[in-house]
């Protein structure tokens, strides 16, 4: 479906090469199956390099040894990173044992990496193990469809079941949304599972537009212009960081029963250093819808973005740029037309926090939930701290489920009073509970970056733990060691660690150098502003030292650091990122 609205007209420019690639891919099949047999390279050839992303994988190589391999005239050590699809982050103990075994036996690094989008990644899978890996996941009831590429990604849902009686209903919606928006092509089954069905959709080779609509009724033959992200969130906890996402459903309850959702569209965090046409953005409020309209609404937003998104320039292709180009009201009106319902005024709600509640909490059904803090989400056995083994030992006796959080942590959920002490003992023995972990460490986050991420400009995951030691010392010196500042680092401006929603955000510029942003808020509804460009960690520590001293002594009662930074004029707030992110003189007086 296309529109006749003249405001949705695309720039007069050739389509980006990814559009050709999708168009020629035969609904994401490409020549991946044949490529698997090519033993001359550890990587994927031609378009397949990109196409495997739609199947949840990225080709990578270990950057720590890249130069050494080149010197030895060897191909970089190519391998695959896989990202699982796990709507709402829920995984059973049996499935956990299966993924643990795969990571241990069949990956170069042996780790399970919990991500900022409630799922896990395997790093370092060699080409020969790629097909067996998908079959392994399939027999566990898992898949990696559409966790990357120009599609709707893993759907997030507020993690902790204690937070509200609405959780089960909200989680069901996250699952339904994920399935409704999945690609319907059988490419995944054909390539990885020898045609075994993953979903019930029938696939026939389409010859007409009508047939195309039947194969991919929502996404279409060339899928979306760019990646697309969706959340379901239960106030007051914005643990999924909804403003990083294109489409958000905020659960509205009445007497503990879900009655509908407020819908927010057009969030996203990535940008490019110095490119003023790119900007991070908080999502726009479209209004309230009842439960009967949820799937229709999701489909209408996705298809509007599918048809109106800029396919000529991938840097302008995400939903927020479409909204900027056509106007929020025009986009919203089109969504209403497509779903056949008008949005009602939004219902009141409030977000107060984003962090996970580390430790035990008891749910309304009397079951216990233990949130384990996993530094940077990296589960591996470290000397004296066998974290991965610890989770495996818990999985062997746990009768509830596990929930991955969007803050890279892990919840052992649904524990009976009888099993509580046993699980806590295992967690403590394996270093999964550490009473010395500071509040600052729990509220800090880093993206993966080196050595696996090809886009990393600076260290992030490997840098953060030592940096937090120094921030902790600053907090202690100012007698605020029991408090914290939401601090996040990303190795480049793509923003995977969500620094663009932190109170203090560091964005990699070059090895050892970062751009420093300040002034996000606790609820995750304000984007921080650039304070200084291209500075070293030592320079940043001096600045943070001065700011913490001022905050500790001059803050108002309960005032968080980000709000203090705005009130005292360290930076001006970002009010409307599309207008004033790059130019603070445009902030209204
Ligand atoms: Fe991300 C690309 C890791 C969450 C914005 N991201 C990548 C790649 C795949 C690099 C690449 O394209 O080759 C990174 C792989 C590193 C590695 O070795 O594992 C990568 N992103 C991650 C993860 C693992 C970071 C983490 O530490 O947990 C997160 C996996 C999420 C998941 O499970 O699906 C991750 N990425 C995010 C987020 C945060 C979020 O969604 O809440 C963002 C910012 C939000 C947004 O989309 O605006 C994010 N990643 C990007 C972008 C910029 C996209 C854009 O709009 O321009 C890229 C690059 C791209 O797509 O071109 C990227
Ligand atoms: Fe890689 Fe950049 Fe994402 Fe970090 S923010 S994981 S460096 S793409």
């Amino acid at each position: 479906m296309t529109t006749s609205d003249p405001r949705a007209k695309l720039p007069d420019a050739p389509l980006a090469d990814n559009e050709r690639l999708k168009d020629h891919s035969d609904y994401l099949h490409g020549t991946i199956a044949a490529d698997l047999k090519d033993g001359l390279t550890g990587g994927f050839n031609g378009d397949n390099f990109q196409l495997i992303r739609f199947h949840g994988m990225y080709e990578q190589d270990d950057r720590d040894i890249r130069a050494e391999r080149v010197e030895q005239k060897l191909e970089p050590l190519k391998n695959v990173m896989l990202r699982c699809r796990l709507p709402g982050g829920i995984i059973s103990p049996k499935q956990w044992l299966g993924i643990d075994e795969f990571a241990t036996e069949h990956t170069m690094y042996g780790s399970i990496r919990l991500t900022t989008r409630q799922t896990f990644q395997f790093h370092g899978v060699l080409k020969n193990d790629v097909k067996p890996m998908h079959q392994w996941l399939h027999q566990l009831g898992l898949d990696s469809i559409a966790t990357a590429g120009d599609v709707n990604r893993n759907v997030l849902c507020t993690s902790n079941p204690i937070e509200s009686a609405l959780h089960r209903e909200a989680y069901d919606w996250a699952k339904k949304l994920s399935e409704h928006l999945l690609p319907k092509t059988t490419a995944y089954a054909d390539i990885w599972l020898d045609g075994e069905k993953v979903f019930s959709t029938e696939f026939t080779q389409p010859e007409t537009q009508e047939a195309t609509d039947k194969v991919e009724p929502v996404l279409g033959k060339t899928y979306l212009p760019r990646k697309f992200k969706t959340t379901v969130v239960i106030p007051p906890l914005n643990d999924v960081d909804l403003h990083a996402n294109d489409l958000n459903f905020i659960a509205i309850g009445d007497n503990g029963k879900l009655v509908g959702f407020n819908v927010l569209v057009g969030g996203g965090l990535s940008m490019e250093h110095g490119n003023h046409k790119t900007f991070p953005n908080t999502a726009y409020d479209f209004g309230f819808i009842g439960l009967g309209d949820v799937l229709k609404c999701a489909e209408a937003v996705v298809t509007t973005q599918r048809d109106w998104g800029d396919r000529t320039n991938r840097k302008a292709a995400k939903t927020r740029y479409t909204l900027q180009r056509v106007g929020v009201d025009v986009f919203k009106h089109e969504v209403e037309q497509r779903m056949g319902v008008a949005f009602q005024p939004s219902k009141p709600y409030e977000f107060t926090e984003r962090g996970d509640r580390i430790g035990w909490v008891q749910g309304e059904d009397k079951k216990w939930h233990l949130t384990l803090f996993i530094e940077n989400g990296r589960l591996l056995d470290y000397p004296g701290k066998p974290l991965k083994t610890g989770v495996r030992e818990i999985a062997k006796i746990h009768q509830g489920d596990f929930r991955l959080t969007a803050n890279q942590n892990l919840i052992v959920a649904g524990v009976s009073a009888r099993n509580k002490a046993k699980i806590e003992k295992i967690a403590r023995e394996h270093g999964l509970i550490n009473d010395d972990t500071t509040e600052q460490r729990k509220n800090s986050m880093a993206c993966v970056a080196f050595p696996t991420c090809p886009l990393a400009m600076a260290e992030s995951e490997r840098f953060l733990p030592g940096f937090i030691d120094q921030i902790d010392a600053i907090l202690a010196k100012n007698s605020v060691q029991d408090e914290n500042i939401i601090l996040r680092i990303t190795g480049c401006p793509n923003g995977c660690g969500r620094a663009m929603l932190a109170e203090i955000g560091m964005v990699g510029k070059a090895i050892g150098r970062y751009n420093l942003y300040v002034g996000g808020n606790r609820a995750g509804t304000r984007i921080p502003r650039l304070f200084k460009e291209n500075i070293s960690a030592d320079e940043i520590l001096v600045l943070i030292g001065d700011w913490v001293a001022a905050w500790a002594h001059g803050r108002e009662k309960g005032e968080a650091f980000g709000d203090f930074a705005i009130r005292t004029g360290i930076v001006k707030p970002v009010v409307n990122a599309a207008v004033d992110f790059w130019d603070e003189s445009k902030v209204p007086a």
Side-chain angles (χ1 to χ4, degrees), residues 214-232:
K214 229 168 136 192
V215 180
E216 292 291 11
V218 180
L219 300 173
K221 191 176 180 204
T222 49
Y223 298 86
L224 301 182
R226 197 71 166 88
K227 57 169 68 166
F228 190 93
K229 296 182 173 178
T230 303
T231 71
V232 177

Side-chain angles (χ1 to χ4, degrees), residues 6-260:
R7 287 163 294 191
K9 193 174 175 304
L10 280 172
D12 193 12
L15 293 179
D17 189 50
N18 288 58
E19 295 305 319
R20 173 203 57 76
L21 178 152
K22 289 179 273 179
D23 193 25
H24 293 178
S25 74
D26 180 21
Y27 293 91
L28 309 182
H29 285 82
T31 54
I32 298 172
D35 206 336
L36 286 172
K37 300 192 183 105
D38 177 0
L40 286 176
T41 169
F44 286 82
N45 297 294
D47 290 352
N48 297 334
F49 176 85
Q50 292 276 352
L51 278 177
I52 59 167
R53 298 187 176 185
F54 291 81
H55 301 257
M57 292 172 294
Y58 290 81
E59 183 180 313
Q60 302 187 322
D61 72 284
D62 189 318
R63 294 180 67 181
D64 282 348
I65 56 168
R66 195 185 277 175
E68 188 187 309
R69 303 262 308 177
V70 170
E71 223 165 80
Q72 294 166 352
K73 301 207 170 7
L74 292 170
E75 180 178 81
L77 186 50
K78 292 186 180 174
N79 62 76
V80 154
M81 174 269 275
L82 172 121
R83 188 181 281 164
C84 192
R85 186 175 68 91
L86 223 52
I90 299 190
I91 183 167
S92 73
K94 188 166 168 247
Q95 289 170 325
W96 187 274
L97 290 173
I99 65 161
D100 175 275
E101 188 180 341
F102 187 86
T104 309
E105 303 291 331
H106 303 287
T107 70
M108 284 161 49
Y109 302 97
S111 68
I112 297 172
R113 174 56 155 76
L114 312 183
T115 77
T116 52
R117 294 192 69 76
Q118 278 188 318
T119 186
F120 65 88
Q121 290 181 175
F122 294 138
H123 287 99
V125 182
L126 296 176
K127 198 169 177 181
N128 277 341
D129 287 323
V130 168
K131 187 163 173 180
M133 167 177 64
H134 287 285
Q135 298 186 338
W136 190 292
L137 288 176
H138 183 60
Q139 50 90 19
L140 293 171
L142 298 171
D143 64 70
S144 64
I145 303 173
T147 54
D150 298 343
V151 282
N152 181 57
R153 306 285 187 92
N154 197 42
V155 177
L156 304 188
C157 180
T158 296
S159 308
N160 203 321
I162 179 69
E163 296 303 338
S164 146
L166 304 180
H167 187 272
R168 178 161 293 284
E169 287 178 276
Y171 168 69
D172 284 345
W173 279 110
K175 237 175 123 188
K176 272 189 235 168
L177 284 160
S178 170
E179 276 159 26
H180 191 70
L181 299 175
L182 275 182
K184 301 292 187 278
T185 165
T186 55
Y188 186 88
D190 294 342
I191 300 167
W192 311 111
L193 310 175
D194 298 323
E196 198 175 320
K197 274 189 189 153
V198 192
F199 301 105
S200 55
T201 327
E202 292 298 333
F203 179 83
T204 40
Q205 188 62 38
E207 277 158 17
T208 59
Q209 178 63 36
E210 216 174 47
T212 300
D213 292 346
K214 229 168 136 192
V215 180
E216 292 291 11
V218 180
L219 300 173
K221 191 176 180 204
T222 49
Y223 298 86
L224 301 182
R226 197 71 166 88
K227 57 169 68 166
F228 190 93
K229 296 182 173 178
T230 303
T231 71
V232 177
V233 51
I234 309 171
L237 190 63
N238 180 18
D239 60 339
V240 297
D241 250 332
L242 74 95
H243 288 291
N245 294 270
D246 299 72
L247 173 58
N248 303 279
F249 293 93
I250 298 179
I252 303 295
D254 189 10
N255 282 324
K257 203 89 204 88
L258 185 69
V259 293

Side-chain angles (χ1 to χ4, degrees), residues 360-361 368 370 415-425:
W360 287 102
V361 287
W368 289 90
L370 172 64
V415 177
S416 62
R418 203 158 43 90
N419 270 351
K420 193 172 168 249
K422 239 189 285 175
I423 286 182
E424 176 159 341
K425 185 163 180 283

Side-chain angles (χ1 to χ4, degrees), residues 296-314:
K296 269 189 283 179
C297 174
E299 195 171 316
V301 174
V302 166
T303 60
T304 303
Q305 162 61 6
R306 176 195 70 191
D307 297 339
W308 288 11
D310 185 346
R311 290 176 186 260
T312 70
N313 175 5
R314 289 181 68 76

